[in-house]
Amino acid sequence: MIYKVLYQENATQVPVRENTKCLYVEAESEREVRAKLKDRAIMIEFVQLLEGAHLAYEQASEDYKVEQ
């Protein structure tokens, strides 16, 4: 399954919407996504499962790269 992760690069600052970035992670569950990203110094805002038309839409983006 593919998850979209919205995050802030600086975990010590207050989140600002304009600084939110996203990445795509292949995992079996949201828990596994968070475990894969725990060693990074980022603040995870939201983890969303991508399926169907939403996944197809995200795959059409030029920024779409899945991390294993």
Side-chain angles (χ1 to χ4, degrees):
M1 293 186 277
I2 305 295
Y3 288 86
K4 181 177 183 178
V5 179
L6 300 172
Y7 69 96
Q8 299 280 321
E9 287 185 332
N10 193 336
T12 61
Q13 291 183 345
V14 176
V16 177
R17 181 169 58 174
E18 288 80 8
N19 296 335
T20 299
K21 301 198 181 327
C22 75
L23 59 90
Y24 304 92
V25 179
E26 185 174 348
E28 292 299 316
S29 66
E30 181 178 337
R31 178 177 284 182
E32 185 178 337
V33 171
R34 291 181 181 275
K36 286 182 176 185
L37 299 176
K38 74 178 180 182
D39 60 339
R40 297 187 188 187
I42 61 173
M43 180 189 325
I44 297 174
E45 293 181 19
F46 187 65
V47 178
Q48 178 181 19
L49 175 62
L50 298 179
E51 297 179 303
H54 192 179
L55 177 59
Y57 175 80
E58 294 289 344
Q59 287 174 331
S61 169
E62 62 186 38
D63 297 329
Y64 181 80
K65 289 185 257 180
V66 177
E67 297 189 18
Q68 297 295 330

